[in-house]
Amino acid sequence: MSNRRIANLLNVGPRFLRSVQLERDFRDSTVLNSYVYTDFAKSCFGRIAEGLRPESGQRAWRMTGDYGSGKSSFALLLAHSFAGHDDFPARIRCAFNLRQFGVDRPRFIPVLSTCSRRPLSVSILESLHRTLCRLYARGNRPKLTSEVESLLGSTNEPTEEQIIALIERVNARIISDAKGSGLLLIVDELGKFLEFAALHPQRQDIFLLQRLAEVASRSGNKPLFVVCILHQGFSAYADQLNQSAQREWEKVAGRFDEIVFNQPVEQVGHLIASALDVQVDYIPRQQATSLRRAMEQMIGLNWFGASQRQPLMNVASRLYPLHPTVLPVLIRVFRRFGQNERSLFSFLLSNEPFGLQSFCDQCVHDASPYRLHNLFDYVRTNFGHRLAVRSYRSHWSLIESVIESYATDEPLHIQVLKTIGILNLLNDDLLATEESVVCAIAGDDHVCQRQVKAAMDKLRRVKRVLYDRGRGRGLCLWPHTSVDLEKAHEDARHAVQTPERVAALIEV
């Protein structure tokens, strides 16, 4: 057993590596077998399920979140649940107790549409046609099917009124024929349509969304749900339009209740642990204890913000072989430079250079955890080309040049520089203080802690490649202060929306 590899302790499923395509994956009954139903996903489901109550007006939603954050997977789960399917794993099925909302088990008919750069009406009509053909595959086709085909084949683009009237009639027909409780229209990649609408503002396509939201909110005892999925807020797609058009877009966005799809750090940790499915009992006791101590120390250094302590402590050893300091850095790196959970799972489960799987070839008893200096090598290899062309390229170029040009035969010096370098790249509240760097490299090994402190002191005082910018800024690979202008601009855009009236902001 002494030669057991780290990889032998992991039970990785293939589900986490593929992205979701709604129309294709809805027909695959096994696609949700590995879905990780977090507390955040549960809260999102609960908010949408409130619309199941009789006469509820909460039936128009927009889910906003970065690429790869899990929105489409959640929408797929929502579609199956609202359709009344029960072939979920038991752990998910138990969580879907819709009786808590005072409703019977629903049987909605999912109409799944993925947008592209074309009119939204065409995408919806095509999805309606597929749905009607499936529902009425046997027997006589309803006249509605021919009407949809006629609109799709017409040389004149269907009007907003025609689309809304058709959706309402299809909804009423499936209810009267006892085919379902109503329609659940899920529109994925809505941003593609918004890009098209912004390029052709004269078409006024955006108002079809407004009408859809209004009809859904007032659908009463003939319920219609509309769920739209996009990567940014409406204002981000309308920023090149004039002020009047931007105000109209904001009004349309306001017709939808919003869910910001952004998993808390402890629940991303739970996702990682579920993906790796580590056999915790085979982790050497000393290593497991060291991981828990490191997690406790980093919680004390506020690296996990307002996250709850106990869930983080519970997941510490299940993240093996990841060191706890890697978790918050991983999340921020992939949110800023990659595609969130999609990039995260690629790092965890694929064979990318310096990723986790290549690290897991080591023997359990000989290996130390995967640390921040290992992550630096991964980022340099897989994201270096992106970093070189972004506005913060001067930071990356400086970080990389310092480390590449530092000549030494002491590996510990390089580990210190790489650890501080990856934190300097983020340039946020995860400070490269002496305490955090020592924990990231040495853990609770007292001998190694003294060696790391000595290495930092030498790099600062003798080699002069490390600079202390004070307790508020931490250690850095350059002596001057720096501001990430792109991040500051993005933070400002999120904090301050485009004002509707400039006059109110002007003081005479």
Side-chain angles (χ1 to χ4, degrees):
M1 290 296 181
S2 60
N3 61 351
R4 184 191 296 269
R5 295 164 54 246
I6 295 175
N8 298 140
L9 273 60
L10 311 182
N11 298 292
V12 176
R15 159 71 184 86
F16 295 96
L17 278 177
R18 56 185 293 231
S19 59
V20 167
Q21 206 279 335
L22 287 181
E23 296 96 316
R24 175 198 67 203
D25 290 332
F26 185 74
R27 297 189 297 270
D28 184 352
S29 60
T30 66
V31 75
L32 291 172
N33 285 353
S34 301
Y35 187 85
V36 181
Y37 192 53
T38 64
D39 289 340
F40 175 78
K42 184 177 181 180
S43 69
C44 294
F45 180 81
R47 290 180 62 191
I48 296 176
E50 287 286 345
L52 293 170
R53 297 184 187 277
E55 305 302 326
S56 173
Q58 291 183 289
R59 293 175 180 170
W61 295 88
R62 55 188 168 105
M63 291 197 301
T64 308
D66 292 328
Y67 290 98
S69 56
K71 303 182 300 299
S72 297
S73 293
F74 174 81
L76 192 63
L77 186 73
L78 183 72
H80 278 288
S81 174
F82 272 43
H85 299 167
D86 58 5
D87 52 349
F88 297 120
R91 57 189 168 75
I92 298 178
R93 189 168 60 249
C94 293
F96 285 148
N97 179 18
L98 289 171
R99 292 180 180 176
Q100 63 184 302
F101 302 102
V103 296
D104 295 328
R105 177 177 165 184
R107 291 190 307 111
F108 280 81
I109 302 300
V111 179
L112 308 177
S113 178
T114 301
C115 287
S116 57
R117 286 192 175 183
R118 60 178 180 170
L120 179 62
S121 57
V122 177
S123 296
I124 291 177
L125 284 174
E126 289 178 349
S127 301
L128 273 177
H129 185 258
R130 286 194 300 269
T131 302
L132 287 170
C133 289
R134 177 176 56 83
L135 282 177
Y136 295 94
R138 297 179 181 178
N140 295 328
R141 295 198 315 169
K143 183 180 177 182
L144 285 171
T145 306
S146 299
E147 291 184 31
V148 175
E149 291 172 351
S150 176
L151 286 176
L152 282 171
S154 175
T155 55
N156 297 321
E157 189 174 320
T159 66
E160 172 189 311
E161 291 296 336
Q162 287 177 305
I163 299 297
I164 294 299
L166 187 60
I167 291 173
E168 289 184 307
R169 289 169 59 202
V170 170
N171 194 41
R173 178 64 184 268
I174 66 163
I175 294 173
S176 65
D177 288 351
K179 295 286 187 179
S181 310
L183 289 179
L184 169 64
L185 174 60
I186 300 180
V187 182
D188 200 2
E189 298 286 354
L190 184 69
K192 298 288 181 63
F193 159 70
L194 294 179
E195 289 171 359
F196 174 84
L199 289 171
H200 304 90
Q202 72 282 356
R203 295 170 54 93
Q204 301 290 300
D205 286 341
I206 190 71
F207 291 109
L208 176 57
L209 273 177
Q210 178 176 327
R211 291 294 308 281
L212 280 172
E214 291 170 349
V215 168
S217 299
R218 299 167 186 166
S219 55
N221 60 359
K222 294 181 179 178
L224 166 68
F225 276 81
V226 177
V227 179
C228 298
I229 304 170
L230 64 165
H231 304 305
Q232 307 175 83
F234 273 52
S235 59
Y237 297 96
D239 59 0
Q240 299 300 316
L241 301 179
N242 60 46
Q243 288 291 314
S244 176
Q246 289 186 30
R247 287 196 295 270
E248 292 295 338
W249 281 50
E250 289 170 8
K251 184 176 70 173
V252 173
R255 294 293 193 272
F256 293 84
D257 291 302
E258 184 177 28
I259 291 175
V260 179
F261 215 83
N262 188 11
Q263 301 262 20
V265 62
E266 70 271 16
Q267 293 182 34
V268 176
H270 179 57
L271 282 171
I272 294 173
S274 299
L276 296 178
D277 194 13
V278 179
Q279 300 178 58
V280 179
D281 293 341
Y282 289 98
I283 302 174
R285 182 176 301 178
Q286 183 179 357
Q287 292 187 37
T289 301
S290 179
L291 292 175
R292 286 192 293 270
R293 287 175 179 169
M295 178 66 80
E296 188 165 23
Q297 183 177 353
M298 300 318 293
I299 293 172
L301 291 176
N302 203 36
W303 268 38
F304 295 93
S307 299
Q308 298 179 12
R309 178 184 179 279
Q310 198 54 51
L312 289 169
M313 292 302 299
N314 292 341
V315 84
S317 56
R318 295 177 59 217
L319 294 174
Y320 181 84
L322 294 178
H323 193 267
T325 53
V326 173
L327 175 60
V329 178
L330 261 183
I331 295 171
R332 298 184 191 209
V333 163
F334 292 136
R335 280 180 182 167
R336 195 179 301 182
F337 309 128
Q339 291 190 18
N340 283 285
E341 289 165 19
R342 194 172 300 153
S343 295
L344 173 63
F345 290 130
S346 182
F347 160 78
L348 293 172
L349 309 177
S350 74
N351 293 314
E352 292 176 326
F354 300 103
L356 191 65
Q357 290 303 309
S358 61
F359 180 85
C360 288
D361 280 335
Q362 302 178 72
C363 291
V364 173
H365 289 278
D366 298 334
S368 62
Y370 187 99
R371 300 181 183 273
L372 287 180
H373 58 83
N374 302 114
L375 180 62
F376 178 92
D377 292 330
Y378 175 85
V379 170
R380 176 170 55 186
T381 302
N382 296 281
F383 292 100
H385 61 289
R386 300 183 197 178
L387 298 175
V389 296
R390 303 286 283 267
S391 67
Y392 34 74
R393 60 185 178 274
S394 58
H395 285 177
W396 176 247
S397 298
L398 184 56
I399 291 166
E400 191 174 33
S401 65
V402 168
I403 294 172
E404 288 295 322
S405 62
Y406 184 76
T408 182
D409 55 359
E410 299 184 65
L412 187 56
H413 285 199
I414 297 297
Q415 291 178 10
V416 170
L417 293 176
K418 287 180 177 179
T419 300
I420 295 172
I422 193 72
L423 297 175
N424 288 170
L425 175 64
L426 294 177
N427 197 27
D428 57 16
D429 58 325
L430 296 183
L431 297 181
T433 62
E434 180 176 294
E435 297 94 327
S436 63
V437 174
V438 168
C439 180
I441 298 175
D444 58 354
D445 185 328
H446 297 297
V447 174
C448 189
Q449 287 177 358
R450 290 193 293 270
Q451 293 173 343
V452 173
K453 290 178 182 179
M456 285 192 290
D457 188 63
K458 186 174 182 179
L459 290 168
R460 190 168 55 239
R461 298 178 184 275
V462 180
K463 300 295 184 179
R464 296 192 181 279
V465 293
L466 191 59
Y467 303 89
D468 192 342
R469 296 187 295 176
R471 190 164 186 83
R473 300 298 300 165
L475 299 166
C476 189
L477 300 186
W478 57 86
H480 53 276
T481 58
S482 57
V483 176
D484 186 339
L485 292 178
E486 182 169 281
K487 183 176 182 298
H489 179 257
E490 189 64 27
D491 290 344
R493 286 186 59 184
H494 285 299
V496 182
Q497 297 297 322
T498 303
E500 293 189 8
R501 293 184 179 275
V502 177
L505 304 179
I506 300 175
E507 294 184 6
V508 180

